[in-house]
Amino acid sequence: MLKKIRMTTSIIVLGLSLYGLISDNNDLLPFTMAGLAVLMVIMGAEELQKDRKSYRSYLFFGVSAFLLLVSIEGFIY
């Protein structure tokens, strides 16, 4: 289930990124970062479901929190 959600989210983020790159539209950058934050949360949840005792899941959650803060700042300014 998480794999399908991850693939869908990554396709959406890739589409937003390509559109912003081709059209030189920087207004979509906060949406792209928010999508990346969601993608990192999903990847962290997959790592936790695999029950791996590694730092990667915590790293995914930390990077996700940072991306979410940066995207919120992008929405405000």
Side-chain angles (χ1 to χ4, degrees):
M1 180 67 181
L2 283 177
K3 188 174 182 178
K4 290 179 183 178
I5 296 172
R6 183 185 60 172
M7 290 301 291
T8 305
T9 307
S10 62
I11 290 171
I12 291 170
V13 168
L14 181 67
L16 279 173
S17 300
L18 286 176
Y19 178 73
L21 185 65
I22 291 170
S23 68
D24 200 25
N25 186 3
N26 291 332
D27 294 336
L28 295 177
L29 197 57
F31 294 107
T32 304
M33 283 197 233
L36 282 174
V38 170
L39 188 61
M40 288 287 189
V41 167
I42 293 169
M43 290 170 67
E46 282 181 338
E47 287 291 320
L48 283 179
Q49 268 191 352
K50 291 178 185 174
D51 205 24
R52 293 185 182 167
K53 301 292 181 187
S54 69
Y55 65 94
R56 286 184 3 181
S57 60
Y58 302 115
L59 184 66
F60 284 139
F61 288 128
V63 170
S64 170
F66 178 72
L67 280 172
L68 193 61
L69 288 173
V70 170
S71 68
I72 289 172
E73 188 221 355
F75 284 128
I76 291 174
Y77 294 111

